[in-house]
Amino acid sequence: MRTYLKTLGKMYQKHLLRFISLILMVLISVGFISGIGSLQDKINYSLSDYYKAQSVSDFIIKSKSEDGFSQQDADTVKEIFKGANVDTGISLDLKTDEKRSLRLYFLDFENTTVNIPDLVEGTMPKDKAQAYAEQADNVIKGYASGEEIELSFKEILTKLSEQNGKELDGQITALLDRLSPVKVTVSGIVQSPLTFARDGEPSYNNPEDAEISYETTGTTDMDCLENILYLSKDLIPTYRALLPFVPEENNKPLIATGDIYVAIENRNLFDAFSRNYKNAVADGKEKICAALTDVEVITLYDNFSFQSLTSYGKKVAAIGYVLMAAFLLVTALVVFSTMTRLIDEERAQIACLKTLGYSSRNIVSKYLLFALTATLIGGGVAYLVGLGLTYLLYFIFNYSFCMPPMSSSIAIVYYIITVTAIVAGTLVATAISGFKTAGERPANLLRPRPPKSGKKVFLERIPFLWKRLSFKYKSTLRNVLRYKGRFFMTVIAVALSTALVLVGLGLLDLCLFHDFGSASIMGISMVVVIFAGLLTVLVIYTLTNINISERNREIATLMVLGYQNREVYGYIFREVIITSLIGILFGYPLSCLLNWIVFTTIGFGTLNGISWFVWLIAPFIVELFTYLVTLVLRRRITKIDMNESLKAIE
């Protein structure tokens, strides 16, 4: 056991850089995938918590008749939804120009139990001479706290009648002429629980056949809100307010459009947008339409803010689905290469342990522990990275939405799936390679493996080109293709990394120069570029570092023969640069495939829409990373002990 633990400790010490590389590879892949993947769940949890906390309406019932709703209608709704919170009020959308609207709410401030707004500044209104307004954003101009507003109900009703294609009769016009404008003061600024999309919010007065595009937060062929103002329900002008001697039966609102707001009971049993909730909404809507005539029912699924936010969450998840496979594949390739080549370098150690009586299971367990420790450390830190990334993306969404407070619910599904896949894959690959090597006889393990024989490369069949290459480039090309397994593994890893960088740059290009997406999609694309770039650096560093460690004797021989440091650097790093260039070339068709999948999945963007310079930036970035890695690893070459390397059995 002492010998076993001693060799285990030496392995960690000898292969410390590989150990750290494995940790970082797992950290970046798991952190990125869990961070991107968990965002949709985090948004859904936050919306669900917000829906319950602010008592967001499940149904807004709007009357299409001129008489509006009676108390009997409200009682009917209460009978349908026993135990539900039911409020009544009036909401009006007035066109201020061809594409802008002003929304007015007339509510009972003191007894509001549905769609409770968040107070941002100021105080809630205390009497009918006060109001509160929606806070300003990219679309809504908003009123200022303390601002005095004068409302002319004659102008309001005239605009409403024009929007509905009607004319006010003479009696109502005469009454309105006698009604003085109402003056109110904005006492507070609030955030409505119904409208929080910054880049466009459709108004209620859009035609029924208008197509609301939830794919973007912009609106097409629809009126957008300009201001939202909440007024006291007591301000609704009535006949009695105008003519004190009008008979009682005529005491009905001049503004006849009425609203009933319903927040169903047992809200804690539902998560917004769950299947059970969808069924409850569909059933409730059917009951409302059966009990009341000439009404329009607006559900949470008709709410533009909720739908556009969840739509963006789905876009992020779709990007995560596509990139998850690529990140996992790159990580698996590099981890497999690292552990396979590490075990191959430890052939002499394995032979010694076998001669001391250790079983193959005990020997392989050492390498399994090495791999497991690295993946678990990387996976553990990756949880914090993924959580931080989720918080960052949630914050970025504030550029497009007034985001609800982030839920404290833990979104961990993506993290568990990713860590499990990487740990299982790493252990399986290590076990296969380990048992294969440990199954050999000790005598065979102690003998150096014969080097791969050099073979002609395809360029040698083109004499016109081959004759013009210098000796050093001929030897480099032969070395590149001598170990085909390592060559293809490196090319595939670099190709996937290049493709990931191009996906991020493609999304960023569409957002910046082609007016697709929004600030939230732009933020996500930048995250993709950063993590793909970090992954590329690690891939090139890890594979190059392994290449150097495997060729210590060869490098030491060159030094003994009098090669200068820069000549040795060139001998090793030319192979790295050529291999990365080949990987970049294969990365182009792969990136086209990934970009096409991403664009198809999220519903916007095309390959033709990507700017030409993007296709040039990506290879430049990858080659820049390759060059920086070679600079870092130069010191590794100069530190090689020539005596120890030349005495080693290879």
Side-chain angles (χ1 to χ4, degrees):
M1 179 59 70
R2 182 178 297 177
T3 304
Y4 179 85
L5 293 176
K6 187 176 181 180
T7 58
L8 180 63
K10 285 185 176 180
M11 184 177 69
Y12 278 98
Q13 184 178 3
K14 179 181 178 182
H15 302 291
L16 180 61
L17 289 178
R18 291 191 188 185
F19 185 73
I20 295 173
S21 296
L22 286 177
I23 292 174
L24 294 177
M25 285 289 298
V26 175
L27 188 154
I28 289 175
S29 293
V30 176
F32 174 81
I33 294 170
S34 62
I36 291 282
S38 300
L39 181 61
Q40 184 185 13
D41 290 339
K42 207 67 171 177
I43 289 174
N44 289 343
Y45 293 154
S46 301
L47 280 176
S48 187
D49 291 349
Y50 189 70
Y51 152 83
K52 296 169 186 175
Q54 304 307 126
S55 190
V56 176
S57 59
D58 300 284
F59 305 99
I60 298 176
I61 310 170
K62 298 184 72 66
S63 173
K64 295 182 180 180
S65 70
E66 295 182 356
D67 294 331
F69 291 119
S70 63
Q71 184 59 46
Q72 182 180 356
D73 294 328
D75 293 338
T76 300
V77 174
K78 290 179 181 179
E79 185 65 25
I80 296 174
F81 303 100
K82 293 182 180 179
N85 287 327
V86 179
D87 284 353
T88 59
I90 288 177
S91 61
L92 305 171
D93 282 8
L94 306 176
K95 289 186 178 181
T96 55
D97 55 39
E98 291 184 358
K99 294 298 296 179
R100 311 291 295 186
S101 293
L102 164 65
R103 180 174 296 172
L104 301 176
Y105 285 102
F106 294 89
L107 303 171
D108 184 353
F109 293 149
E110 295 182 357
N111 301 308
T112 297
T113 59
V114 184
N115 296 327
I116 303 171
D118 287 326
L119 185 65
V120 177
E121 64 175 77
T123 59
M124 299 297 281
K126 297 179 180 179
D127 56 56
K128 66 180 182 180
Q130 294 181 336
Y132 55 88
E134 181 88 349
Q135 65 175 334
D137 55 31
N138 297 349
V139 175
I140 296 176
K141 294 180 180 178
Y143 294 99
S145 183
E147 182 178 347
E148 290 189 355
I149 300 170
E150 184 176 274
L151 296 174
S152 169
F153 285 109
K154 178 180 180 181
E155 182 180 349
I156 291 173
L157 289 176
T158 301
K159 286 186 176 181
L160 280 174
S161 62
E162 291 175 354
Q163 290 172 201
N164 296 324
K166 299 179 180 179
E167 292 185 4
L168 295 176
D169 61 42
Q171 182 185 16
I172 293 179
T173 302
L175 294 174
L176 290 174
D177 287 338
R178 298 171 55 184
L179 184 64
S180 301
V182 174
K183 293 183 178 180
V184 294
T185 302
V186 177
S187 62
I189 306 299
V190 297
Q191 172 58 49
S192 168
L194 292 176
T195 57
F196 47 85
R198 295 184 187 274
D199 297 330
E201 181 79 29
S203 66
Y204 285 151
N205 60 18
N206 293 297
E208 293 183 3
D209 59 349
E211 295 184 0
I212 298 179
S213 172
Y214 296 124
E215 299 303 322
T216 64
T217 52
T219 56
T220 304
D221 297 329
M222 294 191 296
D223 302 322
C224 292
L225 298 180
E226 183 176 39
N227 286 299
I228 296 181
L229 191 64
Y230 299 82
L231 304 159
S232 171
K233 198 173 181 181
D234 297 333
L235 289 177
I236 300 174
T238 62
Y239 282 113
R240 176 150 311 272
L242 300 177
L243 292 177
F245 304 105
V246 173
E248 184 68 30
E249 60 269 16
N250 288 330
N251 188 21
K252 62 179 182 179
L254 283 175
I255 302 177
T257 306
D259 294 344
I260 299 178
Y261 309 101
V262 183
I264 60 177
E265 62 176 341
N266 299 325
R267 298 169 71 82
N268 290 331
L269 299 179
F270 294 103
D271 284 330
F273 307 110
S274 68
R275 178 171 297 181
N276 289 338
Y277 180 77
K278 289 181 180 179
N279 294 335
V281 167
D283 181 62
K285 186 173 182 178
E286 184 177 346
K287 290 179 179 179
I288 293 171
C289 294
L292 302 177
T293 58
D294 204 16
V295 297
E296 179 182 358
V297 181
I298 301 173
T299 69
L300 205 59
Y301 297 99
D302 302 314
N303 182 290
F304 185 84
S305 288
F306 273 74
Q307 288 296 336
S308 56
L309 180 52
T310 54
S311 174
Y312 267 114
K314 291 176 182 177
K315 284 179 172 54
V316 175
I319 294 172
Y321 293 144
V322 176
L323 300 184
M324 175 193 291
F327 268 83
L328 284 178
L329 184 55
V330 173
T331 305
L333 285 172
V334 176
V335 169
F336 175 77
S337 178
T338 299
M339 293 309 302
T340 301
R341 292 158 81 167
L342 184 150
I343 292 173
D344 193 52
E345 289 180 32
E346 295 272 312
R347 289 170 60 85
Q349 288 286 342
I350 294 173
C352 293
L353 290 173
K354 285 181 71 70
T355 56
L356 291 173
Y358 287 93
S359 65
S360 295
R361 182 189 301 176
N362 289 334
I363 294 171
V364 174
S365 65
K366 181 177 72 168
Y367 300 100
L368 289 174
L369 182 61
F370 181 89
L372 180 63
T373 306
T375 51
L376 288 182
I377 293 175
V381 180
Y383 175 76
L384 300 177
V385 173
L387 186 63
L389 181 57
T390 301
Y391 273 83
L392 173 63
L393 293 174
Y394 197 90
F395 173 78
I396 290 173
F397 265 59
N398 276 293
Y399 288 99
S400 298
F401 303 91
C402 297
M403 296 294 289
M406 183 180 286
S407 173
S408 59
S409 300
I410 298 175
I412 201 171
V413 175
Y414 268 80
Y415 172 74
I416 293 176
I417 292 174
T418 311
V419 168
T420 302
I422 287 180
V423 170
T426 301
L427 294 182
V428 169
T430 304
I432 292 173
S433 179
F435 280 109
K436 180 181 178 181
T437 303
E440 297 185 36
R441 296 174 59 186
N444 292 335
L445 292 173
L446 287 171
R447 293 192 189 99
R449 276 188 174 179
K452 290 271 188 178
S453 58
K455 295 182 179 180
K456 286 187 175 182
V457 297
F458 72 95
L459 286 177
E460 292 187 58
R461 304 181 188 278
I462 311 175
F464 176 78
L465 293 176
W466 187 254
K467 290 180 179 180
R468 283 166 173 75
L469 294 177
S470 63
F471 173 77
K472 63 181 181 181
Y473 284 105
K474 288 179 180 179
S475 61
T476 297
L477 290 172
R478 283 175 174 161
N479 283 336
V480 165
L481 298 174
R482 184 167 55 166
Y483 299 96
K484 291 184 173 57
R486 300 175 186 177
F487 168 75
F488 285 116
M489 192 167 292
T490 305
V491 167
I492 293 172
V494 173
L496 284 168
S497 300
T498 303
L500 289 171
V501 172
L502 275 167
V503 168
L505 289 175
L507 283 171
L508 188 61
D509 174 67
L510 290 176
C511 293
L512 288 175
F513 302 108
H514 300 280
D515 199 25
F516 281 96
S518 67
S520 52
I521 297 295
M522 186 186 304
I524 292 163
S525 62
M526 293 177 68
V527 168
V528 173
V529 172
I530 292 171
F531 274 80
L534 290 174
L535 186 68
T536 304
V537 170
L538 274 176
V539 166
I540 297 172
Y541 176 85
T542 303
L543 296 177
T544 306
N545 185 47
I546 293 173
N547 191 27
I548 292 173
S549 64
E550 288 179 336
R551 301 171 68 178
N552 279 357
R553 186 180 178 87
E554 185 180 350
I555 294 171
T557 301
L558 293 175
M559 291 179 173
V560 170
L561 291 175
Y563 279 69
Q564 296 181 6
N565 285 342
R566 61 183 181 83
E567 292 175 315
V568 178
Y569 299 153
Y571 180 79
I572 298 298
F573 294 144
R574 270 195 301 272
E575 298 176 19
V576 176
I577 293 172
I578 290 174
T579 305
S580 65
L581 284 173
I582 296 173
I584 289 171
L585 292 177
F586 281 98
Y588 275 111
L590 190 58
S591 67
C592 290
L593 176 62
L594 282 180
N595 272 300
W596 177 79
I597 294 174
V598 168
F599 295 154
T600 302
T601 305
I602 65 178
F604 68 84
T606 62
L607 286 173
N608 292 334
I610 300 177
S611 300
W612 61 269
F613 53 82
V614 171
W615 303 102
L616 300 179
I617 292 175
F620 173 78
I621 292 175
V622 175
E623 280 303 305
L624 177 62
F625 289 157
T626 304
Y627 177 71
L628 293 176
V629 166
T630 60
L631 291 180
V632 172
L633 289 175
R634 286 186 177 188
R635 189 166 178 267
R636 177 79 191 280
I637 293 177
T638 56
K639 287 179 65 178
I640 290 177
D641 189 324
M642 289 183 286
N643 291 329
E644 290 296 325
S645 299
L646 291 173
K647 288 190 296 183
I649 299 176
E650 293 189 358

